[in-house]
């Protein structure tokens, strides 16, 4: 397995785990918060989608992944306390956007020359992701950083263990 295949596999695994954790949630259940001070799951999904687009475009500026108007603003730090369901998407919309954004990320990675994986990451990210390849690792593992919060809500709602 070469580096790109390993990155693609990492991205696929992270997204699969996340999707398994909210596959049986309703739109209303996505507005559940894992605990006090935590962002609800719909906000987290929007954050993951918006972050992936931002991270991808920081290393592949020509990757064009349009999101719905106002999407980033509705999933910003400033809106993390918002519980109004009208300000968030349906589960299906989040699933569709996750698929669309990940397809763009996978295509950008596939088109990237192998040598570019060793190029420096954007300056503001270098302390945690020194190279472009590290940025793709972050994209692939970011969903796993949030997965535990989905599990916490699953358990509280009495949903079955899925993984």
């Amino acid at each position: 397995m070469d580096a790109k295949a390993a990155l693609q596999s990492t991205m696929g695994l992270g997204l699969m785990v996340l999707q398994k954790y909210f596959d049986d949630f309703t739109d209303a259940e996505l507005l559940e918060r894992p605990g006090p001070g935590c962002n609800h799951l719909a906000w987290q999904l929007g954050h993951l989608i918006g972050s992936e687009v931002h991270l991808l475009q920081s290393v592949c500026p020509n990757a064009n992944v349009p999101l719905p108007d106002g999407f980033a603003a509705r999933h910003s730090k400033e809106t993390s306390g918002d519980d109004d369901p009208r300000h968030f998407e349906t589960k299906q919309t989040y699933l569709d956007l996750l698929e669309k954004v990940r397809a763009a990320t996978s295509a950008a990675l596939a088109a990237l020359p192998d040598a570019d994986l060793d190029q420096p990451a954007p300056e503001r990210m270098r302390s945690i992701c020194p190279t472009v390849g590290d940025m793709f690792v972050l994209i692939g593992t970011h969903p796993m950083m949030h997965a535990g919060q989905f599990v916490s809500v699953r358990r509280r709602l009495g949903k079955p263990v899925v993984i």
Side-chain angles (χ1 to χ4, degrees):
M1 178 182 292
D2 65 11
K4 283 187 182 180
L7 290 169
Q8 294 281 10
S9 180
T10 299
M11 291 189 309
L13 179 63
L15 192 56
M16 182 272 300
V17 168
L18 180 72
Q19 287 175 322
K20 288 263 190 213
Y21 283 158
F22 77 91
D23 186 50
D24 59 351
F25 277 64
T26 65
D27 292 345
E29 288 170 336
L30 288 178
L31 292 170
E32 293 283 331
R33 293 178 183 272
C38 295
N39 301 323
H40 59 66
L41 303 181
W43 186 95
Q44 290 186 50
L45 288 169
H47 161 75
L48 288 166
I49 292 164
S51 293
E52 183 162 337
V53 170
H54 179 73
L55 293 170
L56 174 62
Q57 290 177 335
S58 73
V59 294
C60 298
N62 294 329
N64 184 19
V65 190
L67 294 174
D69 287 341
F71 185 88
R74 288 190 309 276
H75 299 89
S76 68
K77 287 181 182 179
E78 293 75 28
T79 63
S80 63
D82 187 354
D83 289 320
D84 187 337
R86 296 172 299 169
H87 298 159
F88 296 93
E89 309 299 332
T90 65
K91 180 176 91 170
Q92 190 59 54
T93 299
Y94 286 119
L95 284 167
D96 292 346
L97 288 170
L98 280 166
E99 183 179 314
K100 175 179 149 183
V101 169
R102 186 49 59 88
T105 300
S106 293
L109 176 59
L112 194 71
D114 290 349
D116 285 6
L117 293 172
D118 293 322
Q119 292 299 312
E123 181 66 38
R124 72 186 188 329
M125 295 298 295
R126 285 187 199 153
S127 65
I128 58 170
C129 294
T131 68
V132 169
D134 293 314
M135 293 287 288
F136 280 98
V137 170
L138 176 59
I139 288 169
T141 58
H142 191 197
M144 300 297 281
M145 294 176 192
H146 292 266
Q149 296 180 72
F150 284 74
V151 171
S152 176
V153 172
R154 289 189 69 74
R155 297 285 164 80
R156 191 175 68 245
L157 295 175
K159 293 189 177 287
V161 174
V162 291
I163 297 178

